Amino acid sequence: MNYDLIVIGSGPGGYVAAIRGAQLGMKTAVVECADLGGVCLNWGCIPTKALLKSAQVFQYLLHAETYGVKLEGTAKADLDAMVTRSRGVAETMNKGVAFLLQKNKVDVIRGFGKVKPNKIVEVKSSENGEITEYSASHIVIATGARSRELPNLPQDGKKIIGYREAMTLRKQPESMVIVGSGAIGSEFAHFYQSIGTKVTLVEFLPQIVPVEDADVSAQLSRSFRKNGMKVMVDSSVEHVDTAGDLCKCTIKTKKGEEIVEAEIVLSAVGVTTHIENIGLEETGIEIVGTKIKVDEYYRTSQEGYYAIGDVVPGYALAHVASHEALVCVEKIAGLNPHPVNYNNIPGCTYTTPEIASVGLSEKNAQEAGYEIKVGKFPFTASGKATAAGNRDGFVKVVFDAKTDELLGCHMIGDNVTEMIAEAVIIREKNITAHEILSAVHPHPTMSEALMEAVAAAYGQAVHL
């Protein structure tokens, strides 16, 4: 069959590319060998948030008397029921993607897709293994990524696991060592610690959530430790002995080696791209390291072939992949989309407290040579945070002292992932500090903390 556009992969990059292509009048198909919606929807962003919500409800019940609510008996965490709910949420969203593709008349081809020369996509059917070739004027590669394995932490799916197994455990472990404190590691560390598992979080670098501002990292570390978690930085898991009932983890620290025992070890050391065996070499598409080389409109080195999402250089984030998809397909359709501004990408981590950030950290701004103004507003001074019962965290802003433009915004606290978009728009439109202060923010809200932090940066703080 002949198509105008074929997309390989149906994750947040792939299905968005396919739907936008169909909206722009292209005859479109998407090739998928697993679940529609990709890792994010089925095994990442969405089901983990469902688990974290269950943990939050459990914590509310444990501390109900703090809010003036008395319960008879003791609340118990039921991991099996939490996982069942999480899988149900993923299934609902999966059906939603299927509906959207059908609504927009996108053909779904079930099977493993490979690119071939002359704009051909070869698909090995998921049903019967038969191989069929399809042609297209434009082919978008959106095959995503998977959990990265370290040589000294081979995942067996039982004692040493990846994020997929961590998301579907039916029996709650009494103890767990989590290797890596990025978004995946920190979110699972918070989830399991919150429902009663004894968690040890191990990070190779000097701070947890290492891509975040140092103040944010320090606050999350304090919050984790306050809840009983063991946090180890400047540390590495050298070896795991799985011979006994418990895993014996040999952890190298600045003070020497330490043995930590746990039922399960979760390896959360990032992801690696799905670019093997999909025909890139045969087609002549240029690869740099583990990424496909593309230009600002996601054109590869071969005409008619494009790549978006985790397989290209940049942020491995769902919202980035979706935006890349729009830019890519709209350019194919002859429109004039703005290239993605990679200097203004928000990042979110859904621990408690949540983390959200965009732009330069204070340290990065100083290293870049900026003269800066820094303001911070703690949620201990927030009426809304105090009423809600969780005052951990703050909003921190970093401004260019010469232009009064926002260089970076860093938030940690309840619901800050819902607040960061304001900072993204401020940076996108070059709104100055004085213009932010002139805009009325509602009270009492968590979001007014951004305005208060700006006021603090310019010596105008009233509530601090």
Side-chain angles (χ1 to χ4, degrees):
M1 292 182 66
N2 300 317
Y3 288 92
D4 298 314
L5 175 67
I6 294 179
V7 182
I8 304 177
S10 71
Y15 83 76
V16 170
I19 290 172
R20 187 64 181 132
Q23 289 175 343
L24 292 170
M26 300 183 206
K27 183 181 179 183
T28 304
V30 63
V31 179
E32 178 55 66
C33 65
D35 300 311
L36 292 175
V39 169
C40 174
L41 190 152
N42 295 283
W43 298 101
C45 321
I46 305 303
T48 53
K49 304 311 162 284
L51 291 175
L52 290 166
K53 186 63 181 182
S54 293
Q56 183 185 51
V57 171
F58 178 59
Q59 284 294 310
Y60 275 142
L61 292 174
L62 290 182
H63 299 93
E65 289 196 9
T66 303
Y67 297 89
V69 178
K70 291 187 177 182
L71 299 175
E72 292 185 5
T74 304
K76 294 181 180 180
D78 184 342
L79 180 59
D80 184 65
M82 291 178 178
V83 168
T84 298
R85 176 180 180 273
S86 172
R87 301 316 306 157
V89 169
E91 183 180 348
T92 297
M93 299 303 295
N94 173 277
K95 291 177 180 177
V97 171
F99 168 77
L100 290 172
L101 291 168
Q102 182 180 32
K103 174 186 173 184
N104 287 278
K105 297 180 173 58
V106 174
D107 289 346
V108 177
I109 303 171
R110 296 286 186 172
F112 186 88
K114 294 178 63 175
V115 292
K116 299 186 70 176
N118 302 315
K119 301 178 185 176
I120 298 293
V121 174
E122 176 188 283
V123 181
K124 183 177 182 180
S125 172
S126 297
E127 293 183 3
N128 54 30
E130 290 184 0
I131 293 176
T132 307
E133 290 188 349
Y134 304 84
S135 65
S137 301
H138 306 278
I139 299 168
V140 176
I141 300 166
T143 47
R146 63 185 181 276
S147 177
R148 184 165 72 97
E149 289 195 46
L150 296 178
N152 61 327
L153 281 178
Q155 296 175 20
D156 60 16
K158 296 178 180 179
K159 288 189 173 182
I160 303 178
I161 64 174
Y163 62 83
R164 286 202 181 205
E165 292 85 5
M167 205 174 299
T168 53
L169 291 179
R170 294 294 177 169
K171 178 180 178 295
Q172 182 181 343
E174 291 187 7
S175 54
M176 179 181 287
V177 169
I178 297 180
V179 185
S181 71
I184 295 172
S186 290
E187 287 180 9
F188 277 118
H190 163 63
F191 170 71
Y192 279 103
Q193 184 72 35
S194 294
I195 64 172
T197 297
K198 182 181 178 182
V199 173
T200 300
L201 180 62
V202 182
E203 172 55 52
F204 178 75
L205 294 173
Q207 66 177 55
I208 62 171
V209 283
V211 300
E212 300 295 343
D213 185 271
D215 288 348
V216 169
S217 170
Q219 174 62 66
L220 185 65
S221 185
R222 285 193 297 271
S223 296
F224 277 177
R225 288 185 168 113
K226 183 173 69 175
N227 291 329
M229 189 186 304
K230 183 175 183 178
V231 177
M232 303 176 69
V233 296
D234 284 319
S235 303
S236 60
V237 176
E238 298 295 299
H239 174 70
V240 179
D241 181 356
T242 60
D245 292 336
L246 296 178
C247 300
K248 290 186 177 181
C249 302
T250 302
I251 302 176
K252 183 180 178 181
T253 74
K254 283 188 172 182
K255 297 180 180 179
E257 288 190 345
E258 181 177 338
I259 302 296
V260 176
E261 294 186 333
E263 273 189 50
I264 287 179
V265 176
L266 167 59
S267 179
V269 291
V271 297
T272 188
T273 51
H274 275 304
I275 60 171
E276 306 93 343
N277 305 315
I278 61 170
L280 299 182
E281 294 83 2
E282 180 182 350
T283 315
I285 293 173
E286 187 175 354
I287 304 168
V288 178
T290 60
K291 302 281 188 174
I292 299 172
K293 185 179 179 180
V294 292
D295 67 8
E296 61 184 350
Y297 294 110
Y298 309 101
R299 295 174 289 212
T300 71
S301 59
Q302 298 297 314
E303 183 181 354
Y305 296 84
Y306 311 78
I308 59 172
D310 293 356
V311 297
V312 304
Y315 297 91
L317 297 169
H319 46 282
V320 174
S322 295
H323 203 74
E324 290 172 346
L326 298 175
V327 171
C328 176
V329 173
E330 288 179 4
K331 187 66 175 179
I332 289 172
L335 304 182
N336 191 30
H338 292 290
V340 176
N341 179 5
Y342 288 100
N343 293 320
N344 200 28
I345 302 295
C348 297
T349 303
Y350 298 83
T351 47
T352 295
E354 291 182 351
I355 295 172
S357 61
V358 66
L360 297 177
S361 67
E362 180 179 357
K363 180 182 178 182
N364 290 342
Q366 290 171 334
E367 291 175 345
Y370 285 100
E371 180 185 342
I372 61 175
K373 288 182 180 289
V374 178
K376 185 189 287 188
F377 185 78
F379 286 125
T380 52
S382 164
K384 182 64 179 294
T386 302
N390 188 355
R391 305 200 299 169
D392 280 0
F394 55 83
V395 173
K396 179 178 180 179
V397 290
V398 182
F399 281 93
D400 183 337
K402 294 181 179 178
T403 65
D404 296 323
E405 291 181 356
L406 184 62
L407 297 174
C409 180
H410 309 275
M411 305 176 174
I412 179 166
D414 275 4
N415 300 312
V416 297
T417 57
E418 306 293 341
M419 294 161 49
I420 195 64
E422 180 181 2
V424 175
I425 295 171
I426 287 168
R427 284 171 45 77
E428 191 70 24
K429 298 302 179 183
N430 300 316
I431 296 169
T432 67
H434 307 294
E435 290 170 324
I436 298 169
L437 293 174
S438 70
V440 177
H441 286 65
H443 174 79
T445 61
M446 299 291 284
S447 61
E448 67 183 321
L450 175 61
M451 176 269 293
E452 296 279 11
V454 176
Y458 284 82
Q460 300 176 33
V462 173
H463 297 99
L464 185 63

